[in-house]
Amino acid sequence: ASKLQSMYLVTEAVALGDDLHLLTEEQRSWQLRVEQHIAWTTLGEHLLPIGQDAAFAANLARSYHTVGGIIGAFRAAIISHFATARTHQPLTEGAPLALTHTTRYPIVQGPMTRVSDQPAFALEVARAGGLPFLALALMSGKETDQLLAETQYLLGELPWGVGILGFVPIELRQQQLEAIRRYRPSWAIIAGGRPDQALALEHEGIPTYLHVPSPGLLRLFLRDGARRFIFEGRECGGHVGPRSSFVLWNSMIDVLLDELPVGTLGYQVLFAGGIHDSRSAAMVAAIAAPLIERGVEIGVLIGTAYLFTTEAVSSGAITAVFQQAALACTGTMLLESGPGHAVRCIPSTFVEHFDREKQRLRAEGASPDQLRQALEELTIGRLRIATKGITRPPMSNTSNASDNAARFVALSADEQRSQGMYMIGQVAALRHQVCTISELHYDIAVESLNQLHRMPLLQPLGRVTPRVEPAAIAIIGMSCVLPKAADLRGFWQNILNKTNAITEIPTDRWDWKLFFDSDRSARDKMYSRWGGFIDDVAFDPLEFGMPPNALPSIDPMQLLALKATKAALEDAGYQERSFARQRTSVIIGAGGGGSSLGERYLLRTGLRQMFGEQATTLIDAADYFPEWTEDSFAGVLMNVIAGRIANRFDLGWNELYRRCRLRFVVGSGASGSQRVEATQ
């Protein structure tokens, strides 16, 4: 009951989202009680706080099994990913996606509502080597036509695109599509859209990107024929999705690696959400390395960083007041009107007003739908105030008002600050200076490559100073087959239980009565009948790729070594996970004389030496003697154990063994020796 209650409280807290500062006294009490249930100490009594990256836990555990295995995989991935990014340089000038876009850099200026609606701003982005996009949002057909006509005239042969919403009313979408078909932009982006909408534009000769917010949708989109995608994380400005950038990017990359074969061409991916400088761009190049190796063209979609450029103000995309607010920004907030409806923006007077209104509506018992509708109506026009410093007069809300710019009135700087909603991404807290678009593009495309080359991990190690102390050795897996202990756990239990594993020699081993004599000086006798003996061990030869008819010729020691090796690999978590097998050695310490199987072979040979052909009758009359087969020599030699393990488990000792020629001398006699050369 306590666990169920705590889960209920957590659910309530999550539902409140980023509005914890609006909690009532009762809700504050809930929050405190929830915090009391969260801890890392006792699994049975507490709830574990986890992040979105918990989505990768199961796959990491299946693939790498142990913490050490996961860390090792991380290290290997870091080295290989950075090497790929340095070699292919996917974001620099002339990169594959830049050639596809016919731009200098594979950089896309994302369509920002009420910002990306100025042809002059698009021109500045294009001149600086990027691909600009206009945000059509809820523009009418007439507004769209005018904007596209001006852009086409101003940019001429330079590439540009349009960003549309897939969920706008169908009549409005048809009006926008008519204008798009008329002016034929180079590219299109659909947010909240479907593959069939993108394919319709593709058939018109307009390549189209789709925003995809989840791995499940990506699989569906791929199977429906989509080939161009935008993965935008929760750190972005404006309307945000549920997944943070790194979690979303990694999840989407995994899907693409599953779905696309090696050498796939014609797929383009834009990464977005928090990319704004050389370091963040270098991260994208590294994380996307497996896609690059598959032939996928990658680029970055930038939004917030453009708000910090001189051209954003000079072209009229935003006002100086907006840019000043961006420069002063130290953190962002989410305005959530309902589940799945959240907007990231700068804390402001309007945000405080929004929160108060939300609290009032909740107190009045508004339903979720009523709450969402009222809060969304509250935001209408607020973004225009922030970006352009204009608003509608109180009585001008007619159906045609949006088509007439003269019906807007200018606001003072103070009015803009108090009434505007400043949508912006989280990276605003990291940028505190204004730059040009050219400088921004150069930092992202060129300096990101320099970041990759400066990574210490990839620098030459230089001269290594020999270590004088012994090398450290870590035992990461163990196994055993011991008397009264079929495995490691059984052996440990015997230790804990102080089990005595010494027994009388089992009769199925050999008859000790034939050799026992209490007289220690008796000839050809022994004075002990005790020892440690393992129980029968089941062995499936097919499990190790061995023919069953070979077993009688192979000493049990070799078979037990294979079983023990498999158990040790499982204990270490290496049975199924990938690791550097060619760098893994097999060292076996084996001694104590010949095995019982080897003794029987020696006796068979000795009888023939002693009695000649008469020995055939003795040998044939007894079941004691094993037959000579092609497996006999290797089956009784102890120095073959390591090689058999390396061969069956594909380990590196095999590589060394393949280079060695082993020579076996078979038989002897007056006629000379027969020499057999065998190469593994």
Side-chain angles (χ1 to χ4, degrees), residues 635-650:
V636 298
L637 295 175
M638 289 188 177
N639 62 339
V640 173
I641 299 176
R644 192 178 293 277
I645 292 173
N647 178 270
R648 293 299 88 189
F649 292 93
D650 193 26

Side-chain angles (χ1 to χ4, degrees), residues 465-473:
T465 303
R467 296 179 58 178
V468 295
E469 69 273 13
I473 297 176

Side-chain angles (χ1 to χ4, degrees), residues 195 212-224 229 231 243 248 251-252 255-256 259:
V212 191
S214 70
L217 277 179
L218 179 57
R219 291 187 187 275
L220 294 176
F221 283 14
L222 284 167
R223 292 163 190 174
D224 286 343
F229 308 103
F231 306 146
R243 289 171 173 81
L248 177 67
S251 300
M252 300 307 222
V255 171
L256 289 174
E259 297 285 339

Side-chain angles (χ1 to χ4, degrees), residues 492-550:
W492 180 243
Q493 288 300 319
N494 287 348
I495 293 175
L496 297 179
N497 298 332
K498 300 180 180 179
T499 300
N500 183 2
I502 301 300
T503 63
E504 194 174 80
I505 300 172
T507 56
D508 61 341
R509 295 299 179 91
W510 43 279
D511 188 359
W512 58 267
K513 297 183 183 67
L514 296 175
F515 303 93
F516 178 78
D517 195 313
S518 58
D519 182 3
R520 298 191 176 194
S521 61
R523 187 180 182 185
D524 294 331
K525 298 288 184 177
M526 64 181 187
Y527 55 86
S528 174
R529 60 178 187 271
W530 306 91
F533 303 89
I534 67 173
D535 297 327
D536 289 344
V537 177
F539 184 86
D540 180 6
L542 299 181
E543 181 182 356
F544 297 94
M546 302 171 64
N549 58 6

